[in-house]
Coordinates of all heavy atoms in Angstrom, one line a residue:
V131 N 15.0 9.3 -1.3 CA 14.6 7.9 -1.3 C 15.8 7.1 -1.1 O 16.8 7.0 -1.8 CB 14.0 7.5 -2.7 CG1 13.5 6.1 -2.6 CG2 12.8 8.4 -3.0
Y132 N 15.8 6.3 0.0 CA 16.9 5.5 0.4 C 16.6 4.0 0.2 O 16.0 3.3 1.0 CB 17.2 5.7 1.9 CG 17.8 7.1 2.2 CD1 16.9 8.1 2.5 CD2 19.1 7.4 2.1 CE1 17.3 9.4 2.8 CE2 19.6 8.7 2.3 CZ 18.7 9.7 2.7 OH 19.1 10.9 2.9
T133 N 17.0 3.5 -1.0 CA 16.7 2.1 -1.4 C 17.6 1.2 -0.8 O 17.5 0.0 -1.0 CB 16.6 2.0 -2.9 OG1 17.8 2.5 -3.5 CG2 15.4 2.8 -3.5
D134 N 18.7 1.6 -0.1 CA 19.6 0.7 0.5 C 19.0 0.0 1.7 O 19.5 -1.0 2.3 CB 20.9 1.3 1.0 CG 20.7 2.6 1.9 OD1 19.5 3.1 1.9 OD2 21.7 3.0 2.5
W135 N 17.8 0.5 2.2 CA 17.1 -0.2 3.2 C 16.2 -1.2 2.6 O 15.5 -1.0 1.6 CB 16.2 0.8 4.0 CG 15.4 0.2 5.1 CD1 15.7 -0.2 6.3 CD2 14.0 -0.2 4.9 NE1 14.7 -0.8 7.0 CE2 13.6 -0.8 6.2 CE3 13.0 0.0 4.0 CZ2 12.3 -1.3 6.4 CZ3 11.7 -0.5 4.1 CH2 11.4 -1.1 5.4
H136 N 16.2 -2.4 3.3 CA 15.3 -3.6 2.7 C 14.6 -4.1 4.0 O 15.2 -4.4 5.0 CB 16.1 -4.6 2.1 CG 16.9 -4.2 0.9 ND1 16.3 -3.6 -0.1 CD2 18.2 -4.2 0.6 CE1 17.2 -3.2 -1.1 NE2 18.4 -3.6 -0.7
A137 N 13.3 -4.3 3.8 CA 12.4 -4.9 4.8 C 12.8 -6.3 5.0 O 12.7 -7.1 4.1 CB 11.0 -4.7 4.4
V138 N 13.2 -6.6 6.3 CA 13.5 -8.0 6.6 C 12.3 -8.9 6.6 O 11.3 -8.6 7.3 CB 14.2 -8.0 8.0 CG1 14.5 -9.4 8.4 CG2 15.5 -7.1 8.0
G139 N 12.4 -10.0 5.9 CA 11.4 -11.0 6.0 C 10.0 -10.6 5.3 O 9.0 -11.3 5.4
W140 N 10.1 -9.5 4.5 CA 8.9 -9.1 3.8 C 8.5 -10.1 2.7 O 9.4 -10.4 1.8 CB 9.0 -7.7 3.2 CG 7.9 -7.2 2.4 CD1 6.6 -7.5 2.6 CD2 8.0 -6.2 1.4 NE1 5.8 -6.8 1.7 CE2 6.6 -6.1 0.9 CE3 9.0 -5.6 0.7 CZ2 6.4 -5.2 -0.2 CZ3 8.7 -4.7 -0.3 CH2 7.4 -4.5 -0.7
R141 N 7.3 -10.7 2.7 CA 7.0 -11.7 1.8 C 5.7 -11.2 1.0 O 4.8 -10.7 1.6 CB 6.7 -13.0 2.5 CG 6.4 -14.2 1.5 CD 6.1 -15.5 2.3 NE 5.6 -16.5 1.4 CZ 5.2 -17.7 1.8 NH1 5.3 -18.1 3.1 NH2 4.7 -18.6 1.0
T142 N 5.7 -11.5 -0.3 CA 4.5 -11.2 -1.1 C 4.3 -12.3 -2.1 O 5.2 -13.0 -2.6 CB 4.7 -9.9 -1.9 OG1 5.9 -10.0 -2.8 CG2 5.0 -8.7 -0.9
E143 N 3.0 -12.4 -2.4 CA 2.6 -13.3 -3.5 C 1.5 -12.6 -4.4 O 0.5 -12.1 -3.8 CB 2.0 -14.6 -3.0 CG 3.0 -15.5 -2.4 CD 2.5 -16.9 -2.0 OE1 1.3 -17.2 -2.2 OE2 3.3 -17.7 -1.4
T144 N 1.8 -12.5 -5.6 CA 0.9 -11.6 -6.5 C 0.6 -12.4 -7.8 O 1.4 -13.1 -8.3 CB 1.6 -10.3 -6.9 OG1 2.1 -9.7 -5.6 CG2 0.8 -9.4 -7.7
S145 N -0.6 -12.2 -8.2 CA -1.0 -12.9 -9.5 C -1.9 -12.0 -10.3 O -2.6 -11.2 -9.8 CB -1.7 -14.3 -9.1 OG -3.0 -14.0 -8.5
Y146 N -1.9 -12.3 -11.6 CA -2.7 -11.5 -12.5 C -3.5 -12.5 -13.4 O -2.8 -13.4 -14.0 CB -1.9 -10.6 -13.4 CG -2.6 -9.9 -14.5 CD1 -3.7 -9.0 -14.2 CD2 -2.4 -10.2 -15.9 CE1 -4.5 -8.4 -15.2 CE2 -3.1 -9.5 -16.8 CZ -4.2 -8.7 -16.5 OH -4.9 -8.1 -17.5
D147 N -4.8 -12.4 -13.4 CA -5.6 -13.3 -14.2 C -6.1 -12.5 -15.4 O -7.0 -11.6 -15.3 CB -6.9 -13.7 -13.4 CG -7.7 -14.8 -14.1 OD1 -7.8 -14.7 -15.3 OD2 -8.2 -15.7 -13.4
R148 N -5.4 -12.7 -16.5 CA -5.8 -11.9 -17.8 C -7.2 -12.2 -18.2 O -8.0 -11.2 -18.6 CB -4.8 -12.4 -18.9 CG -4.9 -11.5 -20.2 CD -4.0 -12.0 -21.2 NE -2.6 -12.0 -20.8 CZ -1.8 -10.8 -20.7 NH1 -2.3 -9.7 -21.2 NH2 -0.6 -10.9 -20.3
Q149 N -7.7 -13.4 -18.1 CA -9.0 -13.8 -18.5 C -10.1 -13.0 -17.7 O -11.1 -12.6 -18.3 CB -9.3 -15.3 -18.4 CG -10.6 -15.8 -19.1 CD -10.7 -17.3 -19.0 OE1 -9.8 -18.0 -18.5 NE2 -11.7 -17.7 -19.6
K150 N -9.9 -12.9 -16.4 CA -10.9 -12.3 -15.6 C -10.6 -10.8 -15.4 O -11.3 -10.1 -14.7 CB -10.9 -13.0 -14.2 CG -11.4 -14.4 -14.3 CD -11.5 -15.0 -12.9 CE -12.1 -16.4 -12.9 NZ -12.2 -17.0 -11.6
S151 N -9.5 -10.4 -16.0 CA -9.0 -8.9 -15.8 C -8.9 -8.6 -14.3 O -9.5 -7.5 -13.9 CB -9.9 -8.0 -16.6 OG -9.9 -8.2 -17.9
K152 N -8.2 -9.3 -13.6 CA -8.2 -9.2 -12.1 C -6.7 -9.4 -11.6 O -6.1 -10.3 -12.1 CB -9.2 -10.1 -11.4 CG -9.2 -10.1 -9.9 CD -10.2 -11.1 -9.4 CE -10.2 -11.1 -7.9 NZ -11.2 -12.1 -7.4
F153 N -6.3 -8.7 -10.6 CA -5.1 -9.0 -9.8 C -5.3 -9.2 -8.4 O -6.2 -8.7 -7.8 CB -4.0 -7.9 -10.1 CG -4.1 -6.7 -9.2 CD1 -3.5 -6.6 -8.0 CD2 -5.0 -5.6 -9.6 CE1 -3.7 -5.5 -7.2 CE2 -5.2 -4.6 -8.8 CZ -4.5 -4.5 -7.6
T154 N -4.4 -10.0 -7.8 CA -4.5 -10.1 -6.3 C -3.0 -10.1 -5.8 O -2.1 -10.4 -6.5 CB -5.1 -11.4 -5.8 OG1 -4.3 -12.5 -6.4 CG2 -6.5 -11.6 -6.3
S155 N -2.8 -9.5 -4.6 CA -1.5 -9.4 -4.0 C -1.6 -9.5 -2.5 O -2.4 -8.7 -1.9 CB -0.8 -8.1 -4.4 OG 0.6 -8.0 -4.0
V156 N -0.9 -10.4 -1.9 CA -0.9 -10.7 -0.5 C 0.4 -10.3 0.1 O 1.5 -10.8 -0.5 CB -1.3 -12.1 -0.1 CG1 -1.3 -12.3 1.4 CG2 -2.8 -12.4 -0.6
W157 N 0.5 -9.6 1.1 CA 1.8 -9.2 1.8 C 1.8 -9.6 3.2 O 0.8 -9.6 4.0 CB 1.9 -7.7 1.8 CG 1.9 -7.0 0.5 CD1 1.5 -7.5 -0.8 CD2 2.2 -5.6 0.2 NE1 1.7 -6.5 -1.7 CE2 2.0 -5.3 -1.1 CE3 2.5 -4.6 1.1 CZ2 2.2 -4.0 -1.7 CZ3 2.7 -3.3 0.5 CH2 2.5 -3.1 -0.9
E158 N 3.1 -10.0 3.7 CA 3.3 -10.2 5.1 C 4.6 -9.3 5.5 O 5.7 -9.6 4.9 CB 3.6 -11.7 5.3 CG 4.0 -12.0 6.7 CD 4.4 -13.5 6.8 OE1 5.5 -13.9 6.2 OE2 3.7 -14.3 7.5
I159 N 4.4 -8.4 6.3 CA 5.5 -7.6 6.8 C 5.8 -7.8 8.2 O 4.9 -7.3 9.1 CB 5.2 -6.1 6.5 CG1 4.7 -5.8 5.1 CG2 6.4 -5.1 6.8 CD1 4.3 -4.4 4.7
P160 N 6.9 -8.3 8.6 CA 7.3 -8.4 10.0 C 7.4 -7.1 10.7 O 7.9 -6.1 10.1 CB 8.6 -9.1 10.0 CG 8.6 -9.9 8.7 CD 8.0 -9.0 7.7
F161 N 6.9 -7.0 11.9 CA 7.0 -5.8 12.7 C 8.4 -5.4 13.1 O 8.6 -4.2 13.5 CB 6.1 -5.9 13.9 CG 4.6 -5.7 13.7 CD1 3.8 -6.8 13.9 CD2 4.1 -4.6 13.2 CE1 2.4 -6.6 13.7 CE2 2.7 -4.3 13.0 CZ 1.9 -5.4 13.2
C162 N 9.3 -6.2 12.9 CA 10.7 -5.9 13.3 C 11.2 -4.8 12.4 O 12.2 -4.2 12.7 CB 11.6 -7.2 13.2 SG 11.8 -7.9 11.6
N163 N 10.5 -4.6 11.3 CA 10.9 -3.5 10.3 C 10.5 -2.1 10.8 O 10.9 -1.1 10.1 CB 10.4 -3.8 8.9 CG 11.0 -5.0 8.3 OD1 12.2 -5.0 8.0 ND2 10.3 -6.1 8.2
F164 N 9.8 -2.0 11.9 CA 9.3 -0.7 12.4 C 9.8 -0.4 13.7 O 10.0 -1.3 14.6 CB 7.7 -0.8 12.4 CG 7.1 -1.1 11.1 CD1 6.6 -2.3 10.8 CD2 7.0 -0.1 10.0 CE1 6.0 -2.7 9.6 CE2 6.4 -0.4 8.8 CZ 5.9 -1.7 8.6
E165 N 10.0 0.9 13.9 CA 10.5 1.3 15.3 C 9.5 1.0 16.3 O 8.3 1.1 16.2 CB 10.7 2.8 15.2 CG 11.9 3.3 14.3 CD 12.2 4.8 14.4 OE1 11.9 5.3 15.5 OE2 12.6 5.4 13.4
G166 N 10.0 0.3 17.4 CA 9.2 -0.1 18.5 C 8.6 -1.5 18.3 O 8.1 -2.1 19.2
G167 N 8.8 -2.1 17.0 CA 8.4 -3.5 16.8 C 6.9 -3.6 17.0 O 6.1 -2.8 16.4
L168 N 6.5 -4.7 17.7 CA 5.1 -5.0 17.7 C 4.2 -3.9 18.3 O 4.6 -3.5 19.4 CB 5.0 -6.3 18.6 CG 3.6 -7.0 18.6 CD1 3.2 -7.6 17.3 CD2 3.6 -8.1 19.7
P169 N 3.2 -3.4 17.7 CA 2.3 -2.4 18.3 C 1.5 -3.0 19.5 O 1.4 -4.2 19.6 CB 1.5 -2.0 17.2 CG 1.4 -3.1 16.3 CD 2.7 -3.9 16.4
S170 N 0.8 -2.1 20.2 CA -0.1 -2.5 21.3 C -1.5 -2.1 20.8 O -1.7 -1.3 19.9 CB 0.1 -1.8 22.6 OG 1.4 -2.1 23.0
V171 N -2.5 -2.8 21.3 CA -3.9 -2.4 21.0 C -4.1 -1.0 21.3 O -3.8 -0.5 22.3 CB -4.9 -3.3 21.8 CG1 -6.3 -2.8 21.5 CG2 -4.7 -4.8 21.3
G172 N -4.7 -0.3 20.3 CA -4.9 1.2 20.4 C -3.9 2.0 19.8 O -4.2 3.2 19.6
D173 N -2.7 1.5 19.5 CA -1.7 2.3 18.8 C -2.2 2.7 17.4 O -3.0 2.0 16.7 CB -0.5 1.5 18.6 CG 0.4 1.4 19.9 OD1 0.0 2.0 21.0 OD2 1.4 0.6 19.9
E174 N -1.7 3.9 16.9 CA -2.1 4.4 15.7 C -0.8 4.8 14.9 O 0.0 5.5 15.5 CB -3.0 5.6 15.8 CG -4.4 5.3 16.4 CD -5.3 6.5 16.5 OE1 -4.7 7.6 16.6 OE2 -6.5 6.4 16.6
W175 N -0.7 4.4 13.7 CA 0.3 4.8 12.8 C -0.2 5.6 11.6 O -1.4 5.4 11.2 CB 1.1 3.5 12.3 CG 1.8 2.8 13.3 CD1 1.9 3.0 14.6 CD2 2.5 1.5 13.0 NE1 2.7 2.0 15.2 CE2 3.0 1.1 14.3 CE3 2.7 0.8 11.9 CZ2 3.8 -0.1 14.3 CZ3 3.4 -0.4 12.0 CH2 4.0 -0.8 13.2
R176 N 0.5 6.4 11.0 CA 0.1 7.1 9.8 C 0.3 6.2 8.6 O 1.4 5.5 8.5 CB 0.9 8.5 9.6 CG 0.7 9.4 10.8 CD -0.7 9.9 10.9 NE -1.2 10.6 9.8 CZ -1.2 11.9 9.6 NH1 -0.5 12.7 10.5 NH2 -1.7 12.5 8.5
M177 N -0.6 6.3 7.6 CA -0.6 5.3 6.5 C -1.3 5.9 5.3 O -2.4 6.6 5.5 CB -1.1 4.0 6.9 CG -1.1 2.9 5.7 SD -1.8 1.3 6.2 CE -3.6 1.7 6.0
N178 N -0.9 5.5 4.1 CA -1.7 5.7 3.0 C -1.4 4.5 2.0 O -0.3 3.9 2.1 CB -1.5 7.0 2.3 CG -2.8 7.5 1.5 OD1 -3.7 6.8 1.4 ND2 -2.7 8.7 1.1
C179 N -2.4 4.2 1.1 CA -2.3 3.2 0.1 C -2.6 3.7 -1.2 O -3.4 4.6 -1.3 CB -3.3 2.0 0.5 SG -3.1 1.3 2.1
Y180 N -1.9 3.3 -2.2 CA -2.0 3.8 -3.6 C -1.9 2.7 -4.6 O -1.5 1.6 -4.4 CB -0.8 4.8 -3.9 CG -0.5 5.7 -2.8 CD1 0.5 5.6 -1.9 CD2 -1.3 6.9 -2.7 CE1 0.7 6.5 -0.8 CE2 -1.0 7.9 -1.7 CZ 0.0 7.7 -0.8 OH 0.2 8.6 0.2
R181 N -2.4 3.2 -5.8 CA -2.3 2.3 -6.9 C -2.0 3.2 -8.2 O -2.6 4.2 -8.3 CB -3.5 1.5 -7.2 CG -3.4 0.6 -8.4 CD -4.6 -0.1 -8.7 NE -4.6 -0.9 -10.0 CZ -5.6 -1.6 -10.6 NH1 -6.8 -1.5 -10.0 NH2 -5.4 -2.2 -11.7
I182 N -1.0 2.6 -9.0 CA -0.8 3.3 -10.3 C -1.2 2.2 -11.4 O -0.7 1.1 -11.3 CB 0.7 3.7 -10.5 CG1 1.0 4.8 -9.4 CG2 0.9 4.3 -11.9 CD1 2.5 5.1 -9.4
D183 N -2.0 2.6 -12.4 CA -2.3 1.7 -13.5 C -2.0 2.4 -14.7 O -2.4 3.5 -15.0 CB -3.8 1.3 -13.4 CG -4.2 0.4 -14.6 OD1 -3.9 -0.8 -14.4 OD2 -4.7 0.9 -15.6
R184 N -1.2 1.8 -15.5 CA -0.9 2.2 -16.9 C -1.7 1.5 -17.9 O -1.9 0.4 -17.9 CB 0.6 2.0 -17.2 CG 1.6 2.4 -16.1 CD 1.7 3.9 -15.9 NE 2.7 4.2 -14.9 CZ 3.0 5.4 -14.5 NH1 2.3 6.5 -15.0 NH2 3.9 5.7 -13.6
S185 N -2.2 2.3 -18.9 CA -3.1 1.7 -19.9 C -2.8 2.3 -21.3 O -2.9 3.6 -21.4 CB -4.5 1.8 -19.5 OG -5.4 1.4 -20.6
S186 N -2.6 1.6 -22.3 CA -2.4 2.1 -23.6 C -3.7 2.6 -24.2 O -3.7 3.5 -25.1 CB -1.8 1.1 -24.5 OG -2.6 -0.1 -24.6
R187 N -4.8 2.1 -23.7 CA -6.1 2.5 -24.2 C -6.8 3.7 -23.4 O -7.4 4.5 -24.0 CB -7.1 1.3 -24.2 CG -6.8 0.3 -25.2 CD -7.7 -0.9 -25.1 NE -7.7 -1.6 -23.9 CZ -8.5 -2.5 -23.4 NH1 -9.6 -2.7 -24.1 NH2 -8.4 -3.1 -22.2
F188 N -6.6 3.7 -22.1 CA -7.3 4.6 -21.3 C -6.4 5.7 -20.6 O -6.9 6.6 -19.9 CB -8.1 3.8 -20.2 CG -9.1 2.9 -20.8 CD1 -8.8 1.6 -20.8 CD2 -10.3 3.4 -21.3 CE1 -9.7 0.7 -21.3 CE2 -11.3 2.5 -21.8 CZ -11.0 1.1 -21.8
G189 N -5.1 5.5 -20.8 CA -4.1 6.4 -20.1 C -3.8 6.0 -18.7 O -4.3 4.9 -18.2
D190 N -3.1 6.7 -17.9 CA -2.7 6.4 -16.6 C -3.7 6.8 -15.6 O -4.4 7.8 -15.7 CB -1.4 7.1 -16.2 CG -0.2 6.7 -17.1 OD1 -0.3 5.7 -17.8 OD2 0.8 7.5 -17.1
E191 N -3.9 5.9 -14.6 CA -4.9 6.2 -13.5 C -4.1 6.1 -12.2 O -3.4 5.1 -11.9 CB -6.1 5.2 -13.5 CG -7.1 5.5 -12.4 CD -8.3 4.7 -12.5 OE1 -8.3 3.5 -12.4 OE2 -9.4 5.3 -12.9
Y192 N -4.4 7.1 -11.3 CA -3.7 7.2 -10.0 C -4.8 7.2 -8.9 O -5.6 8.1 -8.9 CB -2.9 8.4 -9.9 CG -1.8 8.5 -10.9 CD1 -2.1 9.1 -12.1 CD2 -0.5 8.2 -10.6 CE1 -1.1 9.2 -13.1 CE2 0.5 8.3 -11.6 CZ 0.2 8.8 -12.9 OH 1.2 8.9 -13.8
S193 N -4.8 6.1 -8.1 CA -5.9 6.0 -7.1 C -5.2 5.8 -5.7 O -4.1 5.4 -5.6 CB -6.8 5.0 -7.4 OG -6.2 3.7 -7.6
A194 N -6.0 6.2 -4.7 CA -5.4 6.1 -3.3 C -6.6 5.8 -2.3 O -7.7 6.1 -2.7 CB -4.8 7.5 -3.0
W195 N -6.2 5.4 -1.2 CA -7.1 5.3 0.0 C -7.5 6.7 0.4 O -8.7 7.1 0.5 CB -6.5 4.5 1.1 CG -7.3 4.5 2.4 CD1 -8.7 4.3 2.5 CD2 -6.8 4.6 3.7 NE1 -9.0 4.3 3.8 CE2 -7.9 4.4 4.6 CE3 -5.5 4.8 4.2 CZ2 -7.8 4.6 6.0 CZ3 -5.4 4.9 5.6 CH2 -6.5 4.8 6.5
S196 N -6.5 7.5 0.8 CA -6.7 8.9 1.2 C -6.3 9.9 0.1 O -5.1 10.0 -0.1 CB -6.1 9.2 2.5 OG -6.3 10.5 3.0
P197 N -7.1 10.4 -0.7 CA -6.7 11.3 -1.9 C -5.8 12.4 -1.5 O -5.9 13.0 -0.4 CB -8.0 11.7 -2.5 CG -9.0 11.7 -1.4 CD -8.7 10.5 -0.5
T198 N -4.8 12.7 -2.4 CA -3.8 13.7 -2.1 C -4.2 15.0 -2.7 O -3.6 16.1 -2.4 CB -2.5 13.3 -2.6 OG1 -2.6 13.1 -4.0 CG2 -2.0 12.0 -1.9
G199 N -5.2 15.1 -3.7 CA -5.5 16.3 -4.4 C -4.7 16.6 -5.6 O -4.9 17.6 -6.3

Side-chain angles (χ1 to χ4, degrees):
V131 180
Y132 295 91
T133 56
D134 55 341
W135 176 79
H136 300 303
V138 176
W140 178 29
R141 180 179 173 185
T142 63
E143 289 186 1
T144 306
S145 65
Y146 172 63
D147 188 323
R148 187 182 303 276
Q149 185 174 7
K150 294 182 178 180
S151 297
K152 177 181 179 180
F153 80 91
T154 60
S155 187
V156 176
W157 301 9
E158 177 186 70
I159 308 176
F161 282 115
C162 65
N163 291 292
F164 301 102
E165 293 184 31
L168 188 72
S170 299
V171 172
D173 284 356
E174 295 181 336
W175 295 358
R176 300 298 298 269
M177 181 183 79
N178 211 348
C179 303
Y180 310 102
R181 179 183 175 189
I182 300 173
D183 181 79
R184 313 289 184 182
S185 172
S186 59
R187 289 181 293 167
F188 300 101
D190 298 343
E191 182 171 68
Y192 302 84
S193 55
W195 173 45
S196 182
T198 64

